[in-house]
mmCIF file of all heavy atoms in Angstrom:
data_model
loop_
_atom_site.group_PDB
_atom_site.id
_atom_site.type_symbol
_atom_site.label_atom_id
_atom_site.label_comp_id
_atom_site.label_asym_id
_atom_site.label_seq_id
_atom_site.Cartn_x
_atom_site.Cartn_y
_atom_site.Cartn_z
ATOM 1 N N VAL O 8 -162.112 -50.448 -198.694
ATOM 2 C CA VAL O 8 -162.671 -50.835 -200.000
ATOM 3 C C VAL O 8 -161.552 -51.446 -200.848
ATOM 4 O O VAL O 8 -160.452 -50.886 -200.959
ATOM 5 C CB VAL O 8 -163.253 -49.595 -200.729
ATOM 6 C CG1 VAL O 8 -163.734 -49.963 -202.128
ATOM 7 C CG2 VAL O 8 -164.373 -48.970 -199.913
ATOM 8 N N GLU O 10 -162.495 -53.152 -204.020
ATOM 9 C CA GLU O 10 -162.956 -53.099 -205.409
ATOM 10 C C GLU O 10 -164.368 -52.562 -205.400
ATOM 11 O O GLU O 10 -165.133 -52.855 -204.479
ATOM 12 C CB GLU O 10 -162.950 -54.526 -205.965
ATOM 13 C CG GLU O 10 -163.175 -54.629 -207.445
ATOM 14 C CD GLU O 10 -163.145 -56.093 -207.897
ATOM 15 O OE1 GLU O 10 -162.062 -56.568 -208.234
ATOM 16 O OE2 GLU O 10 -164.207 -56.739 -207.895
ATOM 17 N N ASN O 11 -164.734 -51.779 -206.409
ATOM 18 C CA ASN O 11 -166.076 -51.201 -206.462
ATOM 19 C C ASN O 11 -166.432 -51.008 -207.928
ATOM 20 O O ASN O 11 -165.906 -50.102 -208.574
ATOM 21 C CB ASN O 11 -166.074 -49.856 -205.718
ATOM 22 C CG ASN O 11 -167.458 -49.286 -205.516
ATOM 23 O OD1 ASN O 11 -168.449 -50.012 -205.560
ATOM 24 N ND2 ASN O 11 -167.528 -47.990 -205.297
ATOM 25 N N LYS O 12 -167.245 -51.884 -208.483
ATOM 26 C CA LYS O 12 -167.470 -51.772 -209.933
ATOM 27 C C LYS O 12 -168.921 -52.019 -210.338
ATOM 28 O O LYS O 12 -169.661 -52.730 -209.653
ATOM 29 C CB LYS O 12 -166.534 -52.716 -210.685
ATOM 30 C CG LYS O 12 -166.744 -54.170 -210.390
ATOM 31 C CD LYS O 12 -165.804 -55.014 -211.246
ATOM 32 C CE LYS O 12 -166.129 -56.480 -211.056
ATOM 33 N NZ LYS O 12 -165.184 -57.395 -211.598
ATOM 34 N N LEU O 13 -169.270 -51.413 -211.473
ATOM 35 C CA LEU O 13 -170.599 -51.571 -212.059
ATOM 36 C C LEU O 13 -170.691 -52.972 -212.667
ATOM 37 O O LEU O 13 -169.840 -53.354 -213.468
ATOM 38 C CB LEU O 13 -170.767 -50.516 -213.154
ATOM 39 C CG LEU O 13 -172.144 -50.358 -213.784
ATOM 40 C CD1 LEU O 13 -173.132 -49.755 -212.793
ATOM 41 C CD2 LEU O 13 -172.061 -49.452 -215.031
ATOM 42 N N TRP O 19 -174.127 -52.265 -208.608
ATOM 43 C CA TRP O 19 -172.696 -52.235 -208.284
ATOM 44 C C TRP O 19 -172.337 -53.346 -207.314
ATOM 45 O O TRP O 19 -173.164 -53.783 -206.513
ATOM 46 C CB TRP O 19 -172.345 -50.884 -207.653
ATOM 47 C CG TRP O 19 -172.444 -49.726 -208.605
ATOM 48 C CD1 TRP O 19 -173.583 -49.205 -209.155
ATOM 49 C CD2 TRP O 19 -171.360 -48.961 -209.140
ATOM 50 N NE1 TRP O 19 -173.269 -48.163 -209.993
ATOM 51 C CE2 TRP O 19 -171.904 -47.981 -209.994
ATOM 52 C CE3 TRP O 19 -169.977 -48.987 -208.968
ATOM 53 C CZ2 TRP O 19 -171.129 -47.060 -210.683
ATOM 54 C CZ3 TRP O 19 -169.191 -48.074 -209.639
ATOM 55 C CH2 TRP O 19 -169.761 -47.124 -210.485
ATOM 56 N N LYS O 20 -171.064 -53.757 -207.420
ATOM 57 C CA LYS O 20 -170.552 -54.735 -206.450
ATOM 58 C C LYS O 20 -169.319 -54.128 -205.794
ATOM 59 O O LYS O 20 -168.426 -53.637 -206.486
ATOM 60 C CB LYS O 20 -170.190 -56.041 -207.159
ATOM 61 C CG LYS O 20 -169.673 -57.103 -206.210
ATOM 62 C CD LYS O 20 -169.549 -58.440 -206.906
ATOM 63 C CE LYS O 20 -169.214 -59.531 -205.908
ATOM 64 N NZ LYS O 20 -169.196 -60.857 -206.511
ATOM 65 N N MET O 21 -169.308 -54.172 -204.467
ATOM 66 C CA MET O 21 -168.159 -53.653 -203.726
ATOM 67 C C MET O 21 -167.591 -54.753 -202.850
ATOM 68 O O MET O 21 -168.324 -55.447 -202.155
ATOM 69 C CB MET O 21 -168.585 -52.467 -202.842
ATOM 70 C CG MET O 21 -167.431 -51.887 -202.030
ATOM 71 S SD MET O 21 -167.992 -50.644 -200.844
ATOM 72 C CE MET O 21 -168.279 -49.242 -201.901
ATOM 73 N N VAL O 43 -172.126 -44.009 -194.673
ATOM 74 C CA VAL O 43 -171.546 -43.526 -195.931
ATOM 75 C C VAL O 43 -170.933 -42.150 -195.723
ATOM 76 O O VAL O 43 -169.858 -41.839 -196.222
ATOM 77 C CB VAL O 43 -172.617 -43.479 -197.048
ATOM 78 C CG1 VAL O 43 -171.997 -43.043 -198.367
ATOM 79 C CG2 VAL O 43 -173.284 -44.849 -197.195
ATOM 80 N N GLN O 44 -171.625 -41.336 -194.940
ATOM 81 C CA GLN O 44 -171.156 -39.977 -194.675
ATOM 82 C C GLN O 44 -171.580 -39.616 -193.273
ATOM 83 O O GLN O 44 -172.758 -39.759 -192.943
ATOM 84 C CB GLN O 44 -171.838 -39.021 -195.651
ATOM 85 C CG GLN O 44 -170.898 -38.088 -196.316
ATOM 86 C CD GLN O 44 -171.642 -37.137 -197.234
ATOM 87 O OE1 GLN O 44 -172.787 -36.753 -196.967
ATOM 88 N NE2 GLN O 44 -170.995 -36.749 -198.303
ATOM 89 N N ILE O 67 -170.680 -56.614 -201.066
ATOM 90 C CA ILE O 67 -172.087 -56.203 -201.135
ATOM 91 C C ILE O 67 -172.439 -55.978 -202.612
ATOM 92 O O ILE O 67 -171.550 -55.710 -203.426
ATOM 93 C CB ILE O 67 -172.373 -54.908 -200.320
ATOM 94 C CG1 ILE O 67 -171.501 -53.742 -200.810
ATOM 95 C CG2 ILE O 67 -172.186 -55.157 -198.844
ATOM 96 C CD1 ILE O 67 -171.903 -52.381 -200.223
ATOM 97 N N TYR O 69 -175.179 -53.588 -204.685
ATOM 98 C CA TYR O 69 -176.147 -52.528 -204.374
ATOM 99 C C TYR O 69 -176.633 -51.793 -205.606
ATOM 100 O O TYR O 69 -175.953 -51.681 -206.609
ATOM 101 C CB TYR O 69 -175.545 -51.535 -203.358
ATOM 102 C CG TYR O 69 -174.329 -50.772 -203.843
ATOM 103 C CD1 TYR O 69 -174.452 -49.481 -204.357
ATOM 104 C CD2 TYR O 69 -173.065 -51.341 -203.770
ATOM 105 C CE1 TYR O 69 -173.342 -48.779 -204.795
ATOM 106 C CE2 TYR O 69 -171.943 -50.640 -204.216
ATOM 107 C CZ TYR O 69 -172.090 -49.370 -204.725
ATOM 108 O OH TYR O 69 -170.988 -48.674 -205.160
ATOM 109 N N VAL O 71 -178.325 -48.144 -207.012
ATOM 110 C CA VAL O 71 -178.341 -46.724 -206.668
ATOM 111 C C VAL O 71 -179.797 -46.264 -206.554
ATOM 112 O O VAL O 71 -180.555 -46.349 -207.522
ATOM 113 C CB VAL O 71 -177.594 -45.884 -207.725
ATOM 114 C CG1 VAL O 71 -177.655 -44.405 -207.371
ATOM 115 C CG2 VAL O 71 -176.156 -46.364 -207.841
ATOM 116 N N GLY O 73 -180.623 -43.397 -203.963
ATOM 117 C CA GLY O 73 -180.623 -41.986 -203.565
ATOM 118 C C GLY O 73 -179.202 -41.520 -203.345
ATOM 119 O O GLY O 73 -178.255 -42.057 -203.928
ATOM 120 N N ARG O 74 -179.058 -40.540 -202.444
ATOM 121 C CA ARG O 74 -177.775 -39.854 -202.307
ATOM 122 C C ARG O 74 -176.664 -40.765 -201.778
ATOM 123 O O ARG O 74 -175.550 -40.765 -202.299
ATOM 124 C CB ARG O 74 -178.006 -38.659 -201.367
ATOM 125 C CG ARG O 74 -176.806 -37.825 -201.171
ATOM 126 C CD ARG O 74 -177.081 -36.334 -201.282
ATOM 127 N NE ARG O 74 -175.884 -35.628 -200.828
ATOM 128 C CZ ARG O 74 -175.708 -35.280 -199.561
ATOM 129 N NH1 ARG O 74 -176.640 -35.515 -198.656
ATOM 130 N NH2 ARG O 74 -174.599 -34.664 -199.203
ATOM 131 N N MET O 75 -176.952 -41.563 -200.758
ATOM 132 C CA MET O 75 -175.882 -42.348 -200.137
ATOM 133 C C MET O 75 -175.394 -43.473 -201.044
ATOM 134 O O MET O 75 -174.203 -43.760 -201.112
ATOM 135 C CB MET O 75 -176.337 -42.910 -198.777
ATOM 136 C CG MET O 75 -176.550 -41.854 -197.736
ATOM 137 S SD MET O 75 -175.091 -40.813 -197.484
ATOM 138 C CE MET O 75 -175.789 -39.191 -197.699
ATOM 139 N N THR O 76 -176.318 -44.113 -201.737
ATOM 140 C CA THR O 76 -175.867 -45.179 -202.657
ATOM 141 C C THR O 76 -175.121 -44.561 -203.841
ATOM 142 O O THR O 76 -174.194 -45.172 -204.372
ATOM 143 C CB THR O 76 -177.044 -46.072 -203.109
ATOM 144 O OG1 THR O 76 -178.174 -45.266 -203.393
ATOM 145 C CG2 THR O 76 -177.393 -47.095 -202.052
ATOM 146 N N GLN O 77 -175.483 -43.338 -204.230
ATOM 147 C CA GLN O 77 -174.726 -42.645 -205.286
ATOM 148 C C GLN O 77 -173.297 -42.377 -204.805
ATOM 149 O O GLN O 77 -172.327 -42.638 -205.529
ATOM 150 C CB GLN O 77 -175.435 -41.324 -205.656
ATOM 151 C CG GLN O 77 -174.734 -40.507 -206.725
ATOM 152 C CD GLN O 77 -174.555 -41.277 -208.034
ATOM 153 O OE1 GLN O 77 -175.483 -41.923 -208.511
ATOM 154 N NE2 GLN O 77 -173.343 -41.240 -208.594
ATOM 155 N N ILE O 78 -173.174 -41.915 -203.561
ATOM 156 C CA ILE O 78 -171.829 -41.645 -203.019
ATOM 157 C C ILE O 78 -171.016 -42.946 -202.963
ATOM 158 O O ILE O 78 -169.823 -42.956 -203.258
ATOM 159 C CB ILE O 78 -171.931 -40.973 -201.627
ATOM 160 C CG1 ILE O 78 -172.508 -39.554 -201.783
ATOM 161 C CG2 ILE O 78 -170.573 -40.908 -200.934
ATOM 162 C CD1 ILE O 78 -172.836 -38.867 -200.477
ATOM 163 N N LEU O 79 -171.688 -44.050 -202.605
ATOM 164 C CA LEU O 79 -170.973 -45.348 -202.545
ATOM 165 C C LEU O 79 -170.283 -45.657 -203.870
ATOM 166 O O LEU O 79 -169.173 -46.187 -203.894
ATOM 167 C CB LEU O 79 -171.947 -46.482 -202.239
ATOM 168 C CG LEU O 79 -172.260 -46.854 -200.789
ATOM 169 C CD1 LEU O 79 -173.068 -48.145 -200.770
ATOM 170 C CD2 LEU O 79 -171.003 -46.999 -199.950
ATOM 171 N N THR O 80 -170.945 -45.329 -204.994
ATOM 172 C CA THR O 80 -170.377 -45.675 -206.308
ATOM 173 C C THR O 80 -169.061 -44.926 -206.573
ATOM 174 O O THR O 80 -168.280 -45.339 -207.417
ATOM 175 C CB THR O 80 -171.339 -45.329 -207.481
ATOM 176 O OG1 THR O 80 -171.481 -43.895 -207.568
ATOM 177 C CG2 THR O 80 -172.687 -45.967 -207.316
ATOM 178 N N GLU O 81 -168.869 -43.822 -205.831
ATOM 179 C CA GLU O 81 -167.675 -42.997 -206.100
ATOM 180 C C GLU O 81 -166.466 -43.428 -205.279
ATOM 181 O O GLU O 81 -165.369 -42.891 -205.446
ATOM 182 C CB GLU O 81 -168.025 -41.527 -205.806
ATOM 183 C CG GLU O 81 -169.020 -40.960 -206.830
ATOM 184 C CD GLU O 81 -169.848 -39.808 -206.287
ATOM 185 O OE1 GLU O 81 -169.460 -39.194 -205.269
ATOM 186 O OE2 GLU O 81 -170.929 -39.539 -206.881
ATOM 187 N N LEU O 82 -166.647 -44.407 -204.382
ATOM 188 C CA LEU O 82 -165.532 -44.804 -203.509
ATOM 189 C C LEU O 82 -164.538 -45.685 -204.256
ATOM 190 O O LEU O 82 -164.912 -46.666 -204.896
ATOM 191 C CB LEU O 82 -166.067 -45.549 -202.274
ATOM 192 C CG LEU O 82 -167.092 -44.786 -201.430
ATOM 193 C CD1 LEU O 82 -167.421 -45.571 -200.161
ATOM 194 C CD2 LEU O 82 -166.589 -43.386 -201.073
ATOM 195 N N LYS O 83 -163.274 -45.308 -204.150
ATOM 196 C CA LYS O 83 -162.201 -46.021 -204.858
ATOM 197 C C LYS O 83 -161.546 -47.045 -203.924
ATOM 198 O O LYS O 83 -161.670 -46.937 -202.696
ATOM 199 C CB LYS O 83 -161.127 -45.022 -205.307
ATOM 200 C CG LYS O 83 -161.655 -43.897 -206.183
ATOM 201 C CD LYS O 83 -161.664 -44.311 -207.645
ATOM 202 C CE LYS O 83 -162.141 -43.212 -208.563
ATOM 203 N NZ LYS O 83 -163.587 -43.060 -208.653
ATOM 204 N N ALA O 84 -160.826 -47.984 -204.525
ATOM 205 C CA ALA O 84 -160.060 -48.946 -203.724
ATOM 206 C C ALA O 84 -159.139 -48.184 -202.781
ATOM 207 O O ALA O 84 -158.535 -47.188 -203.177
ATOM 208 C CB ALA O 84 -159.257 -49.858 -204.650
ATOM 209 N N GLY O 85 -159.088 -48.646 -201.533
ATOM 210 C CA GLY O 85 -158.235 -47.994 -200.540
ATOM 211 C C GLY O 85 -159.007 -47.070 -199.605
ATOM 212 O O GLY O 85 -158.511 -46.704 -198.543
ATOM 213 N N THR O 86 -160.259 -46.718 -199.972
ATOM 214 C CA THR O 86 -161.063 -45.832 -199.119
ATOM 215 C C THR O 86 -161.476 -46.563 -197.833
ATOM 216 O O THR O 86 -161.835 -47.738 -197.865
ATOM 217 C CB THR O 86 -162.358 -45.397 -199.860
ATOM 218 O OG1 THR O 86 -161.996 -44.844 -201.114
ATOM 219 C CG2 THR O 86 -163.149 -44.392 -199.059
ATOM 220 N N ALA O 87 -161.436 -45.829 -196.717
ATOM 221 C CA ALA O 87 -161.901 -46.389 -195.436
ATOM 222 C C ALA O 87 -163.415 -46.211 -195.341
ATOM 223 O O ALA O 87 -163.949 -45.170 -195.731
ATOM 224 C CB ALA O 87 -161.215 -45.680 -194.287
ATOM 225 N N LEU O 88 -164.091 -47.245 -194.849
ATOM 226 C CA LEU O 88 -165.552 -47.214 -194.774
ATOM 227 C C LEU O 88 -165.994 -47.733 -193.408
ATOM 228 O O LEU O 88 -165.618 -48.840 -193.014
ATOM 229 C CB LEU O 88 -166.112 -48.105 -195.901
ATOM 230 C CG LEU O 88 -167.583 -47.966 -196.261
ATOM 231 C CD1 LEU O 88 -167.918 -46.535 -196.678
ATOM 232 C CD2 LEU O 88 -167.925 -48.921 -197.408
#
Side-chain angles (χ1 to χ4, degrees):
V8 175
E10 190 180 270
N11 190 21
K12 63 177 186 191
L13 188 70
W19 292 69
K20 181 170 188 175
M21 179 187 284
V43 183
Q44 228 182 33
I67 58 170
Y69 63 97
V71 178
R74 182 134 170 270
M75 293 305 127
T76 42
Q77 179 58 46
I78 292 172
L79 272 189
T80 67
E81 291 154 19
L82 303 186
K83 303 273 182 279
T86 307
L88 195 58

